[in-house]
Amino acid sequence: MNWSSLAAYRFFWNEAMSHDALMASHFEATECRSRQQDSRIILCIQDTTELDFNGQETDGLERLSYDKQRGMYLHPTLCITPERLPLGITDTWMWSRGLSKAAD
């Protein structure tokens, strides 16, 4: 493992770090760039992605589309101008479907 990978793992394993804290400065920068645009139109594009961690040793992940699939969903909102200039991310949601209903 190289030093930059080790630093990244230490950063993400830090109990004081949260998704909200990590994204706050990105959201603020996106808002600032949006306010600097001449256009009054900002397009906010959303999409949901499955982060599938099957086959990897991870704890605490719940099911995705089916019971044996483990991971989480990510739903970001990307802001761009009508001229396709990306301004940044303004919001993210992360979730999973919970435990299997078949286990009840």
Side-chain angles (χ1 to χ4, degrees), residues 82-100:
E83 296 77 31
R84 300 181 183 172
L85 175 67
L87 302 173
I89 301 291
T90 190
D91 187 35
T92 59
W93 293 355
M94 292 178 64
W95 78 95
S96 65
R97 292 186 185 270
L99 299 175
S100 170

Side-chain angles (χ1 to χ4, degrees), residues 16-45:
M17 181 49 59
S18 69
H19 175 76
D20 292 338
L22 180 64
M23 296 305 295
S25 62
H26 294 286
F27 299 160
E28 290 171 18
T30 301
E31 182 179 346
C32 181
R33 285 188 292 270
S34 297
R35 291 181 187 276
Q36 294 172 351
Q37 298 305 307
D38 292 333
S39 174
R40 293 181 49 184
I41 298 172
I42 301 293
L43 304 173
C44 299
I45 302 169

Side-chain angles (χ1 to χ4, degrees), residues 41-60:
I41 298 172
I42 301 293
L43 304 173
C44 299
I45 302 169
Q46 302 179 5
D47 189 33
T48 300
T49 300
E50 283 187 349
L51 303 175
D52 186 343
F53 294 100
N54 267 357
Q56 298 183 33
E57 293 183 30
T58 54
D59 294 325

